[in-house]
């Protein structure tokens, strides 16, 4: 029961779990990760997370040492043994432990770890606080579609947001092109049209982003996966963030710009409700 870790096939308590000091994830940030939400004892979109983990690992030439079904079993064992109903699973695959060298080591098995920690149950729509956001230059590399543990630019921007009492920093590339948040994808209604950055190397292929696009499609709401600028964002009629931990979170302020009208806006509210319906249908529990 409680906070548990799974290290290369063994479950232990999180506080006793250990990896080598020479693990390349620790020394070099040479690894990829996923965060999976568990509602009511049941994983939400586990398959999509495992597919993205596999894509991230392939992109940096790491071979995940377990099959999809072995990982699924490990996740479910961890949740069952923890006895948590609302929690998250963090999982990470690194190139393994070896003498420190930039060059990939030969004959070293990649390391895989995961752990479970509790979370508060899903908030009711009316209890979600609309967020303040700031904008900052996107200082990350050009492969943001890979979910790597190298998160320093995200951390620095998120810290600035925190110090500005904002929930998220919305990042922009040259030309003031909005990419995404430090830990979320960004949507806005600009001139009446829902927009979000296209799925390129400049953003993470967010699973919540995909769910929201599907919900928009199902409700016959026109949208464009088309880049927009910080200036566009500052005339949006609705802005929201999507992520595994934020689900769909309305935004009320971007820098000095205040989103007009009721919060959440009507489309954001519809998506917040539909996202919750999706959670209820996927995670019925026992
Ligand atoms: N955030 N963009 C970045 C840079 C992220 O780190 C995340 C995930 C997202 C949203 O992806 P998804 O919807 O698949 O969680 C976008 C972490 C893991 C989180 O907030 O849970």
């Amino acid at each position: 029961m409680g906070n548990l870790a799974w290290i290369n096939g063994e479950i232990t308590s999180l506080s006793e779990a250990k990896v080598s000091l020479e693990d390349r994830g620790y020394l070099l940030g040479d690894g990829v990760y996923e965060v999976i939400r568990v509602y009511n004892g049941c994983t939400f979109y586990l398959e999509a997370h495992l597919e993205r983990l596999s894509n991230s690992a392939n992109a940096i030439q790491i071979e995940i040492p377990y099959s999809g079904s072995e990982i699924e079993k490990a996740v479910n064992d961890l949740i069952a043994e923890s006895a948590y109903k609302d929690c998250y699973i963090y999982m990470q695959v690194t190139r393994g432990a070896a003498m420190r060298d930039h060059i990939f080591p030969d004959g070293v098995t990649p390391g895989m770890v995961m752990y479970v920690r509790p979370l508060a149950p899903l908030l009711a729509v009316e209890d979600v606080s609309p967020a303040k956001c700031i904008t900052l230059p996107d200082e990350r590399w050009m492969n943001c579609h890979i979910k790597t543990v190298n998160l320093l630019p995200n951390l620095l921007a998120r810290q600035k947001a925190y110090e500005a009492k904002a929930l998220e920093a919305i990042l922009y590339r040259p030309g003031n092109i909005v990419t995404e948040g430090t830990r979320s994808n960004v949507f806005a209604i600009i001139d009446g049209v829902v927009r979000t950055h296209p799925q390129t190397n400049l953003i993470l292929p967010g699973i919540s982003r995909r769910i929201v696009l599907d919900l928009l499609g199902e409700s016959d709401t026109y949208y464009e996966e088309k880049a927009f600028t910080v200036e566009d964002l500052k005339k949006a009629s609705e802005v929201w963030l999507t992520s595994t931990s934020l689900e769909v979170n309305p935004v009320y302020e971007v820098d000095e710009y205040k989103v007009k009208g009721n919060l959440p806006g009507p489309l954001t509210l519809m998506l917040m409700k539909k996202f919750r319906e999706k959670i209820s249908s996927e995670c019925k529990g026992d």
Side-chain angles (χ1 to χ4, degrees):
M1 297 246 289
N3 297 336
L4 297 175
W6 179 100
I7 303 196
N8 298 313
E10 302 274 329
I11 294 184
T12 71
S13 81
L14 179 57
S15 57
E16 280 159 25
K18 286 187 176 51
V19 291
S20 165
L21 194 64
E22 286 193 313
D23 187 281
R24 290 174 63 94
Y26 177 65
L27 288 183
L28 302 160
D30 189 4
V32 293
Y33 78 104
E34 280 297 325
V35 178
I36 297 141
R37 183 68 159 95
V38 176
Y39 299 100
N40 207 9
C42 155
T43 52
F44 188 57
Y45 280 77
L46 177 60
E47 224 172 278
H49 282 279
L50 296 187
E51 191 185 333
R52 187 170 64 187
L53 184 72
S54 165
N55 292 341
S56 296
N58 283 340
I60 63 167
Q61 298 165 56
I62 289 180
E63 206 168 313
I64 302 180
Y66 298 93
S67 68
S69 53
E70 284 171 322
I71 299 172
E72 255 179 62
K73 182 177 180 312
V75 167
N76 289 319
D77 287 350
L78 212 46
I79 298 166
E81 288 205 27
S82 75
Y84 291 142
K85 292 287 170 209
D86 287 281
C87 54
Y88 68 91
I89 300 279
Y90 175 87
M91 65 173 67
Q92 177 171 302
V93 183
T94 72
R95 208 176 301 278
M99 199 174 76
R100 189 181 180 282
D101 192 339
H102 288 186
I103 297 163
F104 300 169
D106 271 336
V108 170
T109 308
M112 179 154 191
V113 301
M114 51 182 108
Y115 65 79
V116 59
R117 270 192 180 272
L119 279 179
L122 176 68
L123 288 176
V125 166
E126 49 282 8
D127 295 332
V128 176
S129 305
K132 168 181 165 152
C133 294
I134 60 169
T135 61
L136 286 174
D138 191 340
E139 295 181 343
R140 299 174 301 162
W141 68 337
M142 299 304 283
N143 294 300
C144 297
H145 60 296
I146 304 172
K147 201 159 171 55
T148 146
V149 295
N150 277 271
L151 286 171
L152 207 43
N154 307 55
L155 308 189
L156 294 173
R158 178 85 196 285
Q159 180 63 22
K160 279 194 183 153
Y162 175 75
E163 286 166 11
K165 298 191 167 38
L167 182 74
E168 180 61 303
I170 294 177
L171 306 174
Y172 59 87
R173 292 274 180 181
N176 293 348
I177 299 293
V178 171
T179 50
E180 61 180 340
T182 65
R183 54 166 183 147
S184 61
N185 293 109
V186 180
F187 286 75
I189 304 183
I190 298 158
D191 297 329
V193 177
V194 177
R195 301 263 291 270
T196 193
H197 193 283
Q199 190 54 77
T200 66
N201 58 313
L202 297 183
I203 66 163
L204 188 78
I207 289 160
S208 322
R209 173 188 181 278
R210 184 70 255 159
I211 295 170
V212 162
L213 290 178
D214 290 345
L215 291 174
L216 289 168
E218 284 164 25
S219 63
D220 285 331
T221 306
Y222 178 73
Y223 63 83
E224 291 180 355
E225 291 180 80
K226 187 173 161 201
F228 56 87
T229 63
V230 172
E231 291 72 26
D232 291 330
L233 187 62
K234 292 186 182 178
K235 59 177 189 180
S237 56
E238 296 187 36
V239 180
W240 66 88
L241 307 172
T242 64
S243 83
T244 295
S245 49
L246 296 171
E247 289 107 11
V248 176
N249 201 116
V251 171
Y252 75 91
E253 187 178 291
V254 180
D255 297 333
E256 72 296 336
Y257 174 71
K258 300 227 174 349
V259 178
K260 291 165 201 72
N262 288 341
L263 279 160
L267 191 63
T268 316
L269 185 62
M270 186 271 273
L271 290 167
M272 292 170 83
K273 288 182 179 159
K274 287 206 174 290
F275 202 93
R276 280 162 177 73
E277 285 166 21
K278 191 66 110 188
I279 292 169
S280 307
S281 68
E282 297 274 320
C283 302
K284 290 196 186 76
D286 341 299

